[in-house]
CSV table of all heavy atoms in Angstrom, one decimal:
chain,number,residue,atom,x,y,z
A,343,THR,N,82.0,9.9,14.9
A,343,THR,CA,80.9,9.3,15.7
A,343,THR,C,80.8,7.8,15.5
A,343,THR,O,80.0,7.1,16.1
A,343,THR,CB,79.6,9.9,15.4
A,343,THR,OG1,79.3,9.8,14.0
A,343,THR,CG2,79.6,11.4,15.8
A,344,ARG,N,81.6,7.2,14.6
A,344,ARG,CA,81.7,5.8,14.4
A,344,ARG,C,83.2,5.4,14.0
A,344,ARG,O,83.9,6.3,13.5
A,344,ARG,CB,80.7,5.3,13.3
A,344,ARG,CG,81.0,5.9,11.9
A,344,ARG,CD,80.0,5.3,10.9
A,344,ARG,NE,80.4,5.7,9.6
A,344,ARG,CZ,79.8,5.2,8.5
A,344,ARG,NH1,78.9,4.2,8.6
A,344,ARG,NH2,80.2,5.5,7.3
A,345,THR,N,83.5,4.2,14.3
A,345,THR,CA,84.9,3.7,14.1
A,345,THR,C,84.9,2.7,13.0
A,345,THR,O,84.1,1.7,13.1
A,345,THR,CB,85.5,3.2,15.4
A,345,THR,OG1,85.7,4.2,16.3
A,345,THR,CG2,86.9,2.6,15.1
A,346,ARG,N,85.7,2.9,12.0
A,346,ARG,CA,85.9,1.9,10.9
A,346,ARG,C,87.1,1.0,11.2
A,346,ARG,O,88.1,1.6,11.6
A,346,ARG,CB,86.0,2.6,9.6
A,346,ARG,CG,84.7,3.3,9.1
A,346,ARG,CD,84.9,4.2,8.0
A,346,ARG,NE,85.8,5.3,8.4
A,346,ARG,CZ,86.4,6.1,7.5
A,346,ARG,NH1,86.3,5.9,6.2
A,346,ARG,NH2,87.1,7.1,8.0
A,347,VAL,N,86.9,-0.3,11.0
A,347,VAL,CA,88.0,-1.2,11.3
A,347,VAL,C,88.4,-1.9,10.0
A,347,VAL,O,87.6,-2.4,9.2
A,347,VAL,CB,87.6,-2.3,12.3
A,347,VAL,CG1,88.7,-3.3,12.6
A,347,VAL,CG2,87.1,-1.6,13.6
A,348,PHE,N,89.7,-1.9,9.7
A,348,PHE,CA,90.2,-2.3,8.4
A,348,PHE,C,91.1,-3.5,8.5
A,348,PHE,O,91.8,-3.7,9.6
A,348,PHE,CB,91.0,-1.2,7.7
A,348,PHE,CG,90.2,0.0,7.4
A,348,PHE,CD1,90.0,1.0,8.3
A,348,PHE,CD2,89.5,0.2,6.2
A,348,PHE,CE1,89.2,2.1,8.1
A,348,PHE,CE2,88.8,1.3,5.9
A,348,PHE,CZ,88.6,2.3,6.9
A,349,ASP,N,91.3,-4.3,7.5
A,349,ASP,CA,92.3,-5.4,7.4
A,349,ASP,C,93.6,-4.7,7.3
A,349,ASP,O,93.9,-3.9,6.3
A,349,ASP,CB,92.0,-6.3,6.2
A,349,ASP,CG,92.9,-7.5,6.2
A,349,ASP,OD1,94.1,-7.3,6.2
A,349,ASP,OD2,92.4,-8.6,6.2
A,350,ALA,N,94.5,-4.9,8.2
A,350,ALA,CA,95.8,-4.3,8.2
A,350,ALA,C,96.7,-4.7,7.1
A,350,ALA,O,97.7,-4.0,6.8
A,350,ALA,CB,96.5,-4.5,9.6
A,351,ARG,N,96.5,-5.8,6.5
A,351,ARG,CA,97.3,-6.3,5.4
A,351,ARG,C,96.8,-5.9,4.0
A,351,ARG,O,97.6,-5.8,3.1
A,351,ARG,CB,97.5,-7.8,5.5
A,351,ARG,CG,98.3,-8.3,6.7
A,351,ARG,CD,99.7,-7.9,6.6
A,351,ARG,NE,100.4,-8.3,7.8
A,351,ARG,CZ,101.7,-7.9,8.0
A,351,ARG,NH1,102.4,-7.2,7.1
A,351,ARG,NH2,102.3,-8.3,9.1
A,352,THR,N,95.5,-5.7,3.9
A,352,THR,CA,95.0,-5.4,2.6
A,352,THR,C,94.3,-4.0,2.5
A,352,THR,O,94.1,-3.5,1.4
A,352,THR,CB,93.9,-6.5,2.2
A,352,THR,OG1,92.8,-6.3,3.1
A,352,THR,CG2,94.5,-7.9,2.3
A,353,GLY,N,94.0,-3.5,3.6
A,353,GLY,CA,93.3,-2.2,3.7
A,353,GLY,C,91.8,-2.3,3.5
A,353,GLY,O,91.1,-1.3,3.4
A,354,GLU,N,91.3,-3.5,3.4
A,354,GLU,CA,89.8,-3.7,3.2
A,354,GLU,C,89.0,-3.4,4.4
A,354,GLU,O,89.4,-3.7,5.5
A,354,GLU,CB,89.6,-5.2,2.8
A,354,GLU,CG,88.1,-5.6,2.6
A,354,GLU,CD,87.9,-7.1,2.4
A,354,GLU,OE1,89.0,-7.8,2.3
A,354,GLU,OE2,86.8,-7.5,2.3
A,355,LEU,N,87.9,-2.7,4.2
A,355,LEU,CA,87.0,-2.4,5.4
A,355,LEU,C,86.4,-3.7,5.9
A,355,LEU,O,85.7,-4.4,5.1
A,355,LEU,CB,85.9,-1.4,4.9
A,355,LEU,CG,84.9,-1.0,6.0
A,355,LEU,CD1,85.6,-0.3,7.2
A,355,LEU,CD2,83.8,-0.2,5.4
A,356,ARG,N,86.6,-4.0,7.2
A,356,ARG,CA,86.0,-5.2,7.8
A,356,ARG,C,84.7,-4.9,8.5
A,356,ARG,O,83.8,-5.8,8.4
A,356,ARG,CB,87.1,-5.8,8.7
A,356,ARG,CG,88.2,-6.4,8.1
A,356,ARG,CD,87.8,-7.7,7.3
A,356,ARG,NE,88.9,-8.5,6.8
A,356,ARG,CZ,89.5,-9.4,7.6
A,356,ARG,NH1,89.2,-9.6,8.8
A,356,ARG,NH2,90.5,-10.1,7.0
A,357,MET,N,84.6,-3.8,9.2
A,357,MET,CA,83.4,-3.5,10.0
A,357,MET,C,83.4,-2.1,10.4
A,357,MET,O,84.4,-1.4,10.3
A,357,MET,CB,83.4,-4.4,11.3
A,357,MET,CG,84.4,-4.1,12.3
A,357,MET,SD,84.7,-5.4,13.5
A,357,MET,CE,85.7,-6.5,12.6
A,358,THR,N,82.2,-1.6,10.7
A,358,THR,CA,82.0,-0.2,11.2
A,358,THR,C,81.2,-0.3,12.5
A,358,THR,O,80.2,-0.9,12.6
A,358,THR,CB,81.2,0.6,10.1
A,358,THR,OG1,81.9,0.7,8.9
A,358,THR,CG2,81.0,2.0,10.6
A,359,LEU,N,81.8,0.3,13.5
A,359,LEU,CA,81.2,0.3,14.8
A,359,LEU,C,80.5,1.6,15.1
A,359,LEU,O,81.1,2.7,15.3
A,359,LEU,CB,82.3,0.2,15.9
A,359,LEU,CG,83.3,-1.0,15.7
A,359,LEU,CD1,84.4,-1.1,16.7
A,359,LEU,CD2,82.5,-2.4,15.6
A,360,GLY,N,79.1,1.6,14.9
A,360,GLY,CA,78.3,2.8,15.1
A,360,GLY,C,78.3,3.2,16.6
A,360,GLY,O,78.3,2.4,17.5
A,361,GLY,N,78.3,4.6,16.8
A,361,GLY,CA,78.2,5.1,18.1
A,361,GLY,C,79.5,5.0,18.9
A,361,GLY,O,79.5,5.2,20.1
A,362,VAL,N,80.6,4.6,18.2
A,362,VAL,CA,81.9,4.4,18.9
A,362,VAL,C,82.8,5.5,18.3
A,362,VAL,O,83.3,5.4,17.2
A,362,VAL,CB,82.5,3.0,18.7
A,362,VAL,CG1,83.9,2.9,19.3
A,362,VAL,CG2,81.5,2.0,19.2
A,363,GLY,N,83.1,6.6,19.1
A,363,GLY,CA,83.9,7.7,18.6
A,363,GLY,C,85.4,7.4,18.8
A,363,GLY,O,86.2,7.8,18.0
A,364,TYR,N,85.7,6.6,19.9
A,364,TYR,CA,87.1,6.3,20.1
A,364,TYR,C,87.2,5.0,20.9
A,364,TYR,O,86.2,4.6,21.5
A,364,TYR,CB,87.9,7.4,20.8
A,364,TYR,CG,87.5,7.7,22.2
A,364,TYR,CD1,88.1,7.1,23.3
A,364,TYR,CD2,86.4,8.6,22.4
A,364,TYR,CE1,87.7,7.4,24.6
A,364,TYR,CE2,86.0,8.9,23.7
A,364,TYR,CZ,86.7,8.3,24.8
A,364,TYR,OH,86.3,8.6,26.1
A,365,GLY,N,88.4,4.5,21.0
A,365,GLY,CA,88.5,3.2,21.8
A,365,GLY,C,89.8,2.5,21.5
A,365,GLY,O,90.6,3.0,20.7
A,366,THR,N,89.9,1.3,22.0
A,366,THR,CA,91.1,0.5,21.8
A,366,THR,C,90.7,-1.0,21.8
A,366,THR,O,89.7,-1.4,22.4
A,366,THR,CB,92.2,0.8,22.8
A,366,THR,OG1,93.4,0.1,22.5
A,366,THR,CG2,91.7,0.3,24.2
A,367,PHE,N,91.5,-1.8,21.2
A,367,PHE,CA,91.2,-3.3,21.1
A,367,PHE,C,91.5,-3.9,22.5
A,367,PHE,O,92.4,-3.5,23.2
A,367,PHE,CB,92.0,-4.0,20.1
A,367,PHE,CG,91.7,-3.6,18.7
A,367,PHE,CD1,92.4,-2.6,18.0
A,367,PHE,CD2,90.6,-4.2,18.0
A,367,PHE,CE1,92.0,-2.2,16.7
A,367,PHE,CE2,90.3,-3.9,16.7
A,367,PHE,CZ,91.0,-2.9,16.0
A,368,THR,N,90.7,-5.0,22.8
A,368,THR,CA,91.0,-5.8,24.0
A,368,THR,C,92.3,-6.7,23.7
A,368,THR,O,92.6,-6.9,22.5
A,368,THR,CB,89.8,-6.7,24.3
A,368,THR,OG1,89.5,-7.5,23.2
A,368,THR,CG2,88.6,-5.9,24.7
A,369,PRO,N,92.9,-7.2,24.7
A,369,PRO,CA,94.2,-8.0,24.5
A,369,PRO,C,94.0,-9.2,23.6
A,369,PRO,O,94.9,-9.6,22.9
A,369,PRO,CB,94.6,-8.4,25.9
A,369,PRO,CG,94.0,-7.3,26.8
A,369,PRO,CD,92.7,-6.9,26.2
A,370,ASP,N,92.7,-9.8,23.6
A,370,ASP,CA,92.5,-10.9,22.8
A,370,ASP,C,92.0,-10.6,21.4
A,370,ASP,O,91.8,-11.5,20.5
A,370,ASP,CB,91.5,-11.9,23.5
A,370,ASP,CG,90.1,-11.3,23.7
A,370,ASP,OD1,89.9,-10.1,23.3
A,370,ASP,OD2,89.3,-11.9,24.4
A,371,GLY,N,91.8,-9.3,21.1
A,371,GLY,CA,91.4,-8.8,19.8
A,371,GLY,C,89.9,-9.1,19.5
A,371,GLY,O,89.4,-8.8,18.4
A,372,ALA,N,89.2,-9.7,20.5
A,372,ALA,CA,87.8,-10.1,20.2
A,372,ALA,C,86.8,-9.0,20.6
A,372,ALA,O,85.6,-9.1,20.4
A,372,ALA,CB,87.4,-11.3,21.1
A,373,GLY,N,87.3,-7.9,21.1
A,373,GLY,CA,86.4,-6.8,21.5
A,373,GLY,C,87.1,-5.4,21.3
A,373,GLY,O,88.3,-5.3,21.1
A,374,PHE,N,86.3,-4.4,21.4
A,374,PHE,CA,86.8,-3.0,21.3
A,374,PHE,C,86.2,-2.2,22.5
A,374,PHE,O,85.0,-2.2,22.8
A,374,PHE,CB,86.3,-2.4,20.0
A,374,PHE,CG,87.0,-1.2,19.5
A,374,PHE,CD1,88.3,-1.3,18.9
A,374,PHE,CD2,86.5,0.1,19.7
A,374,PHE,CE1,89.0,-0.2,18.5
A,374,PHE,CE2,87.2,1.2,19.3
A,374,PHE,CZ,88.5,1.1,18.7
A,375,LEU,N,87.1,-1.6,23.2
A,375,LEU,CA,86.8,-0.9,24.4
A,375,LEU,C,86.5,0.6,24.1
A,375,LEU,O,87.3,1.3,23.7
A,375,LEU,CB,87.9,-0.9,25.5
A,375,LEU,CG,88.3,-2.3,25.9
A,375,LEU,CD1,89.6,-2.3,26.8
A,375,LEU,CD2,87.2,-2.9,26.7
A,376,ALA,N,85.2,1.0,24.2
A,376,ALA,CA,84.7,2.3,23.8
A,376,ALA,C,84.6,3.2,25.1
A,376,ALA,O,84.9,2.8,26.2
A,376,ALA,CB,83.4,2.2,23.1
A,377,SER,N,84.1,4.4,24.9
A,377,SER,CA,83.9,5.3,26.0
A,377,SER,C,82.8,4.8,27.0
A,377,SER,O,82.0,3.9,26.7
A,377,SER,CB,83.4,6.7,25.4
A,377,SER,OG,82.2,6.5,24.7
A,378,ARG,N,82.9,5.4,28.2
A,378,ARG,CA,82.0,5.1,29.3
A,378,ARG,C,82.0,3.6,29.7
A,378,ARG,O,81.0,3.0,30.1
A,378,ARG,CB,80.5,5.5,28.9
A,378,ARG,CG,80.4,7.0,28.5
A,378,ARG,CD,78.9,7.3,28.4
A,378,ARG,NE,78.2,6.5,27.4
A,378,ARG,CZ,78.2,6.7,26.1
A,378,ARG,NH1,79.0,7.8,25.6
A,378,ARG,NH2,77.6,6.0,25.3
A,379,GLY,N,83.2,3.0,29.5
A,379,GLY,CA,83.4,1.6,30.0
A,379,GLY,C,82.6,0.6,29.2
A,379,GLY,O,82.3,-0.5,29.7
A,380,ARG,N,82.4,0.9,27.9
A,380,ARG,CA,81.6,-0.1,27.1
A,380,ARG,C,82.5,-1.1,26.4
A,380,ARG,O,83.6,-0.7,26.0
A,380,ARG,CB,80.8,0.6,26.0
A,380,ARG,CG,79.6,1.5,26.6
A,380,ARG,CD,78.9,2.2,25.5
A,380,ARG,NE,79.8,3.2,24.8
A,380,ARG,CZ,79.7,3.6,23.6
A,380,ARG,NH1,78.7,3.1,22.8
A,380,ARG,NH2,80.5,4.5,23.1
A,381,LEU,N,82.1,-2.3,26.2
A,381,LEU,CA,82.8,-3.3,25.5
A,381,LEU,C,82.0,-3.7,24.3
A,381,LEU,O,80.8,-4.1,24.4
A,381,LEU,CB,83.0,-4.6,26.4
A,381,LEU,CG,83.6,-5.8,25.6
A,381,LEU,CD1,85.0,-5.5,25.1
A,381,LEU,CD2,83.7,-7.0,26.6
A,382,ILE,N,82.6,-3.5,23.1
A,382,ILE,CA,81.9,-3.8,21.8
A,382,ILE,C,82.5,-5.1,21.3
A,382,ILE,O,83.7,-5.3,21.1
A,382,ILE,CB,82.1,-2.7,20.8
A,382,ILE,CG1,81.8,-1.3,21.4
A,382,ILE,CG2,81.3,-3.0,19.5
A,382,ILE,CD1,80.4,-1.2,21.8
Side-chain angles (χ1 to χ4, degrees):
T343 57
R344 63 177 189 168
T345 295
R346 291 167 294 164
V347 181
F348 299 85
D349 187 301
R351 292 294 177 183
T352 67
E354 177 186 356
L355 178 64
R356 286 292 189 87
M357 66 197 81
T358 300
L359 308 178
V362 178
Y364 67 92
T366 188
F367 291 95
T368 57
D370 60 5
F374 199 78
L375 300 171
S377 59
R378 303 188 304 277
R380 293 177 296 154
L381 174 61
I382 310 300

